[in-house]
Amino acid sequence: MWKRALDRAGVREPRLRRDYAKQRRAARRYRTAEYAAARLLLPASLLPHVVTAVAFMHDTDERIDRGTPDERVAALAEWDGLVRKAFAEGDSGLPVLRCLVRTSERHPDVRAHVEEFLRGCEREVAWRTIADDEELERYVREYCLPALMLTACLFAPGDGEARTAFTDGCHRLIRAMQRIDFLEDLPEDVRAGRVGVPADAVARHGADLTRPGAALGRLVEEQADRAAADLAAVSLADVVAPSYRPFVRALVGVQHLRLDAMRRAGASLATRTSGPPAPAAALLLLRETAARARRAPGAGPRRLSGK
């Protein structure tokens, strides 16, 4: 399937095929459930470009997420220079940037979203705490949404009104995902001294983020409710082309699974991470894969065996 995807994506040069394979492995490690959804549910011609966008986003995050604030700023400046050089020269010594350049040639919208994402990284390297929901909204709008749009732009509708609705849906989706991320990663973020759960909410509940307790449980439930409200308002499948709908439904469905797991974990998130249960995620993907197969061109009604 992967070789066919590369063929359909127009990636035929041996070196680039190896480069794209590296991005595929990186994307699979970073978001296992979401990668499985893309592999099973997206058109083959789009898959290499989606995994490249995800791998680029993750590579960027890894480069700017370590060290002191000054070191992070310096890392971003260096990375920004490498990305711009790759686009200017049409090549790079880094596989992820070689793939990004090719993907941008095939899908020109990607280039503009790369620019916006890199500008948003300035907020990512600068923040130490999130004061309240207003600051969380700025963080989502300036950094998280551009990060999501690196991939989402690949299947965004072309019509202006539909595209506006699509971007709004992506905004709500990523805001929910970021709330979930901040709680799923709570122990790691506490150790790093960069907690993304809004500080006013922590104070309001009197929660101790380092140990389980009733106050932390109430905080988790409140943040879960706010994420759930955003997920309930997401209607992306209504505005994308039919061939992308199974993937979009699966992507949103995985976030519901993450949210449910977070609720079950509750105050124990102080000491452990959570994530979507593998059996439930697999069942979701199987259901959408079957729905996609039924809607495929030439797929006729199934005959009953009579057994």
Side-chain angles (χ1 to χ4, degrees):
M1 178 180 176
W2 178 246
K3 291 180 179 179
R4 182 185 65 180
L6 290 173
D7 290 341
R8 293 189 176 180
V11 181
R12 301 191 180 279
E13 303 93 319
R15 184 178 77 159
L16 263 180
R17 290 171 76 92
R18 292 192 295 271
D19 291 342
Y20 272 95
K22 291 178 182 178
Q23 310 325 306
R24 176 195 181 198
R25 291 191 291 271
R28 184 169 53 196
R29 287 194 303 270
Y30 174 53
R31 289 285 194 190
T32 303
E34 288 86 346
Y35 166 78
R39 180 179 178 276
L40 291 170
L41 301 173
L42 281 176
S45 61
L46 203 61
L47 180 59
H49 302 303
V50 167
V51 300
T52 285
V54 171
F56 167 71
M57 178 189 67
H58 184 56
D59 197 333
T60 302
D61 188 62
E62 288 286 293
R63 288 171 181 269
I64 67 175
D65 199 35
R66 293 188 296 268
T68 66
D70 287 345
E71 288 170 338
R72 290 156 61 88
V73 169
L76 174 58
E78 180 184 14
W79 184 234
D80 185 275
L82 289 172
V83 174
R84 294 182 186 282
K85 183 173 184 287
F87 278 120
E89 298 179 355
D91 198 3
S92 172
L94 298 171
V96 66
L97 295 185
R98 289 197 293 268
C99 293
L100 185 67
V101 168
R102 170 57 66 87
T103 286
S104 298
E105 291 170 354
R106 295 281 176 170
H107 299 273
D109 282 355
V110 170
R111 176 71 184 272
H113 288 290
V114 168
E115 296 276 355
E116 188 176 2
F117 170 64
L118 289 173
R119 287 196 301 271
C121 287
E122 295 173 10
R123 174 168 285 277
E124 167 62 9
V125 300
W127 77 273
R128 302 303 297 171
T129 60
I130 303 291
D132 50 28
D133 271 9
E134 184 177 337
E135 188 171 349
L136 175 62
E137 172 59 22
R138 288 196 297 270
Y139 177 73
V140 167
R141 186 176 62 251
E142 294 176 18
Y143 175 67
C144 305
L145 180 58
L148 177 62
M149 293 306 294
L150 287 170
T151 53
C153 74
L154 293 167
F155 47 88
D159 174 73
E161 186 175 344
R163 197 176 185 94
T164 297
F166 178 81
T167 303
D168 179 67
C170 287
H171 189 171
R172 292 177 181 274
L173 174 61
I174 194 60
R175 188 165 59 199
M177 291 173 67
Q178 191 58 59
R179 282 193 194 273
I180 297 169
D181 280 349
F182 279 147
L183 282 164
E184 282 183 342
D185 300 336
L186 188 58
E188 179 182 345
D189 289 350
V190 168
R191 288 193 297 271
R194 296 181 83 225
V195 176
V197 181
D200 69 334
V202 176
R204 183 168 61 250
H205 291 284
D208 182 347
L209 301 181
T210 65
R211 64 183 67 187
L216 180 55
R218 290 191 296 271
L219 173 66
V220 170
E221 196 62 28
E222 175 195 82
Q223 295 299 301
D225 287 344
R226 295 187 181 187
D230 271 330
L231 286 179
V234 172
S235 56
L236 290 173
D238 297 335
V239 294
V240 299
S243 59
Y244 303 139
R245 288 173 188 168
F247 171 73
V248 168
R249 286 194 300 265
L251 178 62
V252 176
V254 167
Q255 309 320 310
H256 281 287
L257 293 176
R258 294 175 67 205
L259 182 60
D260 291 344
M262 191 179 81
R263 287 190 191 275
R264 287 193 298 272
S268 70
L269 288 169
T271 57
R272 67 180 182 89
T273 60
S274 71
L283 182 61
L284 171 67
L285 294 183
L286 285 173
R287 185 167 62 244
E288 290 297 344
T289 301
R292 180 175 184 244
R294 287 195 298 271
R295 293 181 176 86
R302 293 184 179 181
R303 298 177 59 185
L304 299 178
S305 66
K307 295 181 181 179

